[in-house]
Structure formats: structure tokens, C-alpha cells
Amino acid sequence: MGFVPLIEVTRGDLAECQHWGAVAVADRNGRVLAQVGDPYTVTFTRSTIKAFQALPFMQSGGAHALGWGSGELALLCASHNGEPMHVQEVERMLGSVGQSYHALRCGCHRPLFAELGLGSLPDGFVPDERHNNCSGKHAGFVAHCVQQGWPLDNHLDPAHPLQVAIRERVAQAVGLGPDELAMGIDGCSAPNYAMPLAHLARGYARLAGGAPDTDLDQSLTALADAMVQRPELGSGTGRHDLDFMRVGRGEWVSKTGADGVQVVGSRSRGEAFALKVMDGNMVAQVAAAVEVMDQLGWLDAAQREALAPRRNAVIRNAKGLVVGGRRPVFRLQRATV
């Protein structure tokens, strides 16, 4: 089956664009509960695995030893906007192990809040590594290396002890072997892994609902608690992950990844879904995610209304005229018992 149409964009009465993708819904045991297209479609996970990349640090007791709370743990999992609250938190994280942003190896880019048109930058602003949307994850990398006595200069090399440990823990979290993860290099220069959507969903079911069958349970729960308690640090002003977790009232653990990847876990159900929009369109990705939540029965009336602008939208031209719309065109196929 592969990819199928998820979101259709219309102009007048005709379909003008279609965004194709696939969806997998899974529980903590890895059972596929529902799907659209092929639930075992292999895709790079991008930023959706940040919580899993923090597991070696968490499992070692590193965060506890530093007295890190929900703010720091949320930043470990963040794709943040580079707002002052994010930059200041990253500075504190690095300072707690005697390092500065010069230890980061993630590169720098303009803060996302400016790139997304959510704010402006002062004249003469020069971004540095702290403003990278992945700098919280990388601050965790630096902290773990300092605690373990590992070299910092090459800590993103796939053969570095940090990255070897991360690969093992990512695989454990999603129910695969380390050699089953295809590797690529992410936008922040860290190794990233591709896996079937169903396994990514399983990992988020464990993150959201607990993993009592593994030694990761306490670490995953602490990270999920932080993501839900401090969603403004995990993404930022105007971002859909912030919307999802606030509208979810503590029930949903939501994480976006670049190029059309989205995962949302339900804490009370111990279930999650992972989706990939093949063309990487984020508007379609978010619209599809809301539709999946509704079809799964996760939304009450108030939540459905709050998220309606993210799902069904009219399209206006420069003059403000309604010229088209956006609509979901898929139905989840439920697994038969």
C-alpha cells in the first residue's frame, strides 16, 4: 500500500493538490491498532526521537545528579523557537557542567520564531549555537560526555561512545535491534535513525504511557512529564506541539519532526500514532494529525473546536477572498482481533 492521499487542497470545486503519507497507530507492546497506508513504511524519525536520544544520560542518573527539573528535561526533547526562554535554559544546562555554547557541535541558524514569522530580530542580531532548535538536546549530549569523561570535540561521531549508547537506547525504546536502524545525519549534525512508523509509534506509546516491561520506564516517564508540564520550552510561541499538549490537558505527548513526521501519544491509553507526509508539508502534517486524533476518539467537543483551525482551513488570497480549502481524505483502517 505504501503512501496514500491524506490531505487534499481544493481551489474552487476542484482538487488542486494532494499530500500523500502513511499512519501507524500502536500500543506499548508493538501491536498495530490502526493504519493508513503501510504502517511499516520506513522513514527517518528526525526530531521525534529526541526523548530517546536523552536516555543514556537519564539512565546514568546524570540529570538527577545535576538537579535538573522539568525545564531542563523539556529542553532535552525540544525543537525550540530560540526565544529568550529557550536560550537562557540552554545556558543554564551548559553552565551546570562548566561549559558554554562553544562546546555545542550543532551549528547555528536563525531562531525559528523569526523563520516562522512569529517575531522579529533586533538589528545586528547574530545567531549562535544556542539558537539552534536542537540546542537543548545537544546540551544534554555535552553534559553526559562531561560526566562520563568522554571527549567533546568528536561527540557527534557515530563511533563515539555517546552515539553508540544512544543508538542502543533508541533501538530498545522502539523495540528494534541497533543493527536494524538505518542511519543518516540530521540537520543538527547528530546521527539520526530511520525505522518503520509502527515502531516509532510503539516508542511513543511507551514514552506516553510507560514502559514497565523495560528498565527505561522511569526515564521515559520523567521525560514525558516534562514535555507535558513545560510544552512552551519543548516548542514555543505559535507552534502546534504547544497547542496539542495544552489542548490535550496533560493527556497527549506530542512531537514534530522535520519533513513531515509527527508523533502523538495518549498517556491514559498507552497508545500512540506516528505519521509521515511524504512531501514534508507541515500544514498537511498537522492537519492529518488532528484528523487521526479525532478518528481515534481522542477529542471531545471542546478539543475538536480548539483544533479545528489546524485541521480544516479555508484558503484566502491576498485580497482576503476565499478561493479554496483543505480537507482530510483518509479513513483509519482498524486492526481486526
Side-chain angles (χ1 to χ4, degrees):
M1 290 181 286
F3 293 110
V4 299
L6 297 181
I7 300 295
E8 188 171 83
V9 179
T10 61
R11 185 171 298 272
D13 296 326
L14 295 178
E16 186 172 44
C17 303
Q18 280 189 336
H19 302 285
W20 289 50
V23 182
V25 185
D27 63 16
R28 289 175 292 192
N29 298 318
R31 186 167 66 99
V32 174
L33 307 174
Q35 67 191 71
V36 179
D38 183 0
Y40 293 98
T41 296
V42 175
T43 184
F44 276 101
T45 50
R46 308 300 294 272
S47 287
T48 62
I49 60 166
K50 282 177 174 170
F52 307 144
Q53 289 172 301
L55 285 171
F57 177 54
M58 297 294 294
Q59 290 292 105
S60 73
H64 178 75
L66 294 171
W68 285 10
S70 59
E72 291 91 347
L73 298 192
L75 257 293
L76 290 177
C77 309
S79 297
H80 64 72
N81 273 354
E83 298 173 63
M85 61 179 170
H86 304 120
V87 173
Q88 292 162 10
E89 194 71 56
V90 169
E91 289 175 341
R92 285 193 290 271
M93 294 164 74
L94 290 167
S96 70
V97 289
Q99 299 292 321
S100 74
Y101 71 87
H102 297 290
L104 301 176
R105 298 291 180 266
C106 54
C108 50
H109 58 67
R110 277 165 48 89
L112 283 185
F113 76 85
E115 289 295 295
L116 297 172
L118 300 170
S120 58
L121 297 171
D123 292 341
F125 176 85
V126 178
D128 59 48
E129 286 83 354
R130 295 170 299 171
H131 301 95
N132 187 303
N133 76 95
C134 300
S135 63
K137 175 182 79 174
H138 286 259
F141 288 174
V142 169
H144 192 47
C145 286
V146 169
Q147 289 177 325
Q148 300 300 316
W150 293 336
L152 286 174
D153 285 347
N154 66 335
H155 71 264
L156 298 186
D157 188 309
H160 190 281
L162 170 70
Q163 298 303 330
V164 172
I166 287 173
R167 183 173 191 146
E168 291 173 350
R169 290 301 192 180
V170 170
Q172 181 187 5
V174 303
L176 291 170
D179 59 344
E180 295 180 275
L181 300 176
M183 193 197 80
I185 301 301
D186 213 339
C188 63
S189 297
N192 190 253
Y193 300 103
M195 65 184 67
L197 284 172
H199 284 274
L200 180 57
R202 182 186 188 183
Y204 262 75
R206 287 173 158 180
L207 176 65
D213 59 323
T214 78
D215 64 341
L216 303 177
D217 189 44
Q218 290 186 353
S219 294
L220 288 172
T221 298
L223 291 165
D225 286 346
M227 292 173 72
V228 169
Q229 291 165 10
R230 302 298 305 274
E232 75 282 0
L233 292 179
S235 53
T237 305
R239 299 281 297 284
H240 72 269
D241 279 331
L242 175 62
D243 261 7
F244 282 5
M245 287 195 277
R246 284 183 172 169
V247 171
R249 309 180 199 119
E251 165 65 9
W252 306 332
V253 179
S254 176
K255 188 73 189 74
T256 191
D259 293 321
V261 186
Q262 182 70 44
V263 192
V264 183
S266 167
R267 307 203 77 179
S268 66
R269 297 173 179 86
E271 300 173 1
F273 68 85
L275 68 82
K276 166 71 175 181
V277 172
M278 188 57 183
D279 65 5
N281 185 282
M282 182 172 282
V283 176
Q285 163 194 329
V286 176
V290 177
E291 179 66 18
V292 170
M293 286 191 278
D294 201 8
Q295 290 191 27
L296 287 173
W298 291 8
L299 305 184
D300 62 26
Q303 291 168 327
R304 192 173 296 110
E305 181 179 0
L307 295 178
R310 296 282 192 182
R311 174 168 52 173
N312 300 317
V314 297
I315 297 175
R316 297 179 183 273
N317 66 9
K319 193 177 178 180
L321 298 176
V322 175
V323 295
R326 183 181 302 105
R327 63 193 181 200
V329 290
F330 66 90
R331 296 300 302 175
L332 285 171
Q333 297 176 349
R334 304 279 181 160
T336 56
V337 179

